[in-house]
Amino acid sequence: VATMGISQGATHSWMLAALEPRICAAAPGCGFCTYESVINEQVTDYYGGNGNSFLDSHSIYYYVPYLLQYADQQDLCALIAPRALMLICADHDNCFPLSGIRQGGKELKHIYQLLNATENYKLVEFVGPHSMPLDMREKAYQFFAKVFAKQK
């Protein structure tokens, strides 16, 4: 079983994979970054915004009460390792700051390295806004096909 989604569905897809060991692969699109970056950064012109907080880009689904006392998103995603994880992220996403995507991705890469599972982790950035273009969906499908082929 694999999971994927876009935006809120992406966040839920990696949360599901983190908590459900029967999920063998996840490919969330535009649904991951550090909570720290969401809290501390603003939606500047770079993201097509007006200086509002990234906090304004999300609803209650995104905020688990008291979670930051224990973990950030990359810590939760690390629960997926060593299973397959492909994070698909936009470089101009007005909901997820690029710095938080890259920082969380770097920490996840390190976790996968420690587990000798680097082939199971990918961070794919595309040029564009909060979306899931066809070529990114195709990359996710190819990723899943590779994971399922190994399990035969």
Side-chain angles (χ1 to χ4, degrees):
V1 176
T3 183
M4 69 181 290
I6 172 73
S7 192
Q8 177 180 346
T11 302
H12 290 169
S13 74
W14 67 253
M15 286 180 172
L16 177 63
L19 297 173
E20 176 50 69
R22 293 175 293 180
I23 304 291
C24 69
C30 293
F32 169 84
C33 72
T34 64
Y35 284 123
E36 181 180 351
S37 66
V38 170
I39 292 166
N40 294 327
E41 294 193 33
Q42 294 180 320
V43 184
T44 61
D45 288 340
Y46 178 80
Y47 297 102
N50 57 5
N52 289 342
S53 170
F54 276 97
L55 289 169
D56 297 332
S57 300
H58 302 281
S59 60
I60 193 67
Y61 81 90
Y62 193 66
Y63 305 108
V64 177
Y66 306 105
L67 180 62
L68 270 174
Q69 292 179 13
Y70 306 102
D72 204 325
Q73 287 189 37
Q74 65 275 21
D75 304 315
L76 298 174
C77 280
L79 296 171
I80 299 168
R83 292 171 290 142
L85 174 62
M86 173 187 274
L87 298 171
I88 301 169
C89 304
D91 72 340
H92 284 72
D93 193 324
N94 65 344
C95 298
F96 299 94
L98 188 56
S99 67
I101 292 166
R102 289 179 175 166
Q103 180 60 41
K106 179 180 172 184
E107 292 178 32
L108 281 167
K109 181 178 180 181
H110 180 69
I111 295 296
Y112 276 82
Q113 287 171 335
L114 290 173
L115 295 172
N116 293 317
T118 55
E119 73 282 356
N120 291 344
Y121 173 74
K122 294 187 183 342
L123 172 62
V124 179
E125 279 183 31
F126 66 90
V127 176
H130 187 80
S131 62
M132 187 74 150
L134 177 60
D135 62 326
M136 293 297 107
R137 292 192 309 267
E138 289 173 346
K139 282 185 185 283
Y141 304 148
Q142 292 166 1
F143 182 70
F144 289 149
K146 186 177 175 183
V147 169
F148 292 142
K150 285 182 186 179
Q151 294 187 357
K152 287 184 180 182

